[in-house]
């Protein structure tokens, strides 16, 4: 069946007329903050305590906008006769938001959950050099990161938690059996 000539034009004019009759809604942005979805990509926050300086985020960043400096520190043995360990200590963690394309690869590849999306978007600067945020500024953004969504109550229990619960139940049952045997033994 061939389309009726001019039907596209009629549909377009109908959309235009419908839009013209609606009242426009203007958001008064500086006075009223917008309601953002919970997974908004605003700025990246750093949870410094979780960072092990593995450098995965810097290596995987397609824009090379993450700068990390660290040094090795020797940790004494935890037990007598043990050996000393070395660990990386974070000296500098900076993200140049003038280069960042907000792809989120750095957050996805972080194996220790040290990077998070914050919905904050008001961090404009007059000088482009001030868009390189150091770790103290990135740590401040962490306070604006929303809580993760609640777990689905119908979801299957994670394997790790199930194994830990079963081990705890087995240990409790064994301790109860030993206590029962200890009470019956002296009689």
């Amino acid at each position: 069946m061939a389309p009726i000539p001019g039907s596209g034009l009629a549909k377009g004019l109908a959309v235009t007329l419908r839009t013209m009759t609606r009242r426009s809604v203007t958001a008064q942005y500086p006075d009223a903050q917008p309601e953002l979805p919970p997974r908004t990509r605003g700025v990246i926050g750093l949870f410094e305590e979780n960072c092990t300086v593995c450098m995965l985020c810097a290596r995987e960043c397609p824009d090379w906008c993450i700068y990390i400096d660290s040094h090795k520190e020797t940790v004494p043995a935890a037990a007598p006769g043990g050996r000393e360990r070395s660990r990386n200590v974070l000296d500098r963690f900076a993200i140049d938001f003038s280069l960042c394309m907000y792809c989120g690869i750095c957050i996805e590849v972080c194996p220790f959950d040290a990077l998070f999306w914050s919905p904050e978007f008001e961090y404009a600067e007059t000088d482009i050099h001030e868009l390189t945020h150091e770790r103290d500024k990135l740590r401040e953004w962490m306070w604006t990161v929303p809580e993760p969504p609640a777990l689905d109550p119908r979801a299957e229990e994670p394997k790790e938690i199930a194994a830990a619960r079963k081990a705890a139940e087995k240990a409790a049952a064994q301790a109860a059996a030993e206590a029962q045997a200890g009470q019956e033994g002296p009689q």
Side-chain angles (χ1 to χ4, degrees), residues 26-35 121-122:
T26 303
Q28 302 296 329
Y29 163 64
D31 300 327
Q33 291 295 320
E35 301 248 349
F121 61 92
E122 298 176 315

Side-chain angles (χ1 to χ4, degrees), residues 27-90:
Q28 302 296 329
Y29 163 64
D31 300 327
Q33 291 295 320
E35 301 248 349
L36 300 172
R39 294 176 46 123
T40 300
R41 291 184 177 193
V43 72
I44 298 170
L46 171 68
F47 189 54
E48 194 174 336
E49 290 77 18
N50 285 358
C51 184
T52 61
V53 196
C54 65
M55 307 288 277
L56 275 174
C57 55
R59 272 186 271 157
E60 295 297 324
C61 179
D63 291 330
W64 293 84
C65 64
I66 299 175
Y67 311 111
I68 300 175
D69 292 329
S70 67
H71 69 276
K72 289 205 181 276
E73 199 172 79
T74 304
V75 179
R83 67 182 186 121
E84 293 181 337
R85 305 260 180 200
S86 67
R87 67 178 183 125
N88 287 328
V89 177
L90 185 65

Side-chain angles (χ1 to χ4, degrees), residues 16-144:
T16 303
L17 288 172
R18 242 180 311 169
T19 307
M20 283 176 50
T21 59
R22 287 190 194 147
R23 186 176 173 95
S24 63
V25 178
T26 303
Q28 302 296 329
Y29 163 64
D31 300 327
Q33 291 295 320
E35 301 248 349
L36 300 172
R39 294 176 46 123
T40 300
R41 291 184 177 193
V43 72
I44 298 170
L46 171 68
F47 189 54
E48 194 174 336
E49 290 77 18
N50 285 358
C51 184
T52 61
V53 196
C54 65
M55 307 288 277
L56 275 174
C57 55
R59 272 186 271 157
E60 295 297 324
C61 179
D63 291 330
W64 293 84
C65 64
I66 299 175
Y67 311 111
I68 300 175
D69 292 329
S70 67
H71 69 276
K72 289 205 181 276
E73 199 172 79
T74 304
V75 179
R83 67 182 186 121
E84 293 181 337
R85 305 260 180 200
S86 67
R87 67 178 183 125
N88 287 328
V89 177
L90 185 65
D91 292 329
R92 178 180 187 224
F93 193 105
I95 299 176
D96 188 351
F97 285 105
S98 65
L99 296 175
C100 183
M101 66 181 185
Y102 303 94
C103 63
I105 292 174
C106 56
I107 295 169
E108 291 174 17
V109 300
C110 182
F112 300 103
D113 289 334
L115 298 172
F116 295 91
W117 281 117
S118 167
E120 293 295 317
F121 61 92
E122 298 176 315
Y123 54 95
E125 300 288 344
T126 56
D127 185 13
I128 196 168
H129 300 293
E130 294 175 10
L131 282 173
T132 301
H133 293 175
E134 297 292 332
R135 70 182 184 179
D136 56 337
K137 184 69 172 174
L138 297 174
R139 189 180 317 116
E140 289 177 24
W141 294 120
M142 269 308 294
W143 300 112
T144 62

Side-chain angles (χ1 to χ4, degrees), residues 151-172:
L151 297 176
D152 185 2
R154 299 175 308 238
E156 197 175 291
E157 186 177 40
K159 292 181 282 185
E160 297 86 357
I161 294 175
R165 185 179 41 75
K166 286 178 184 175
E169 288 172 358
K170 184 178 177 182

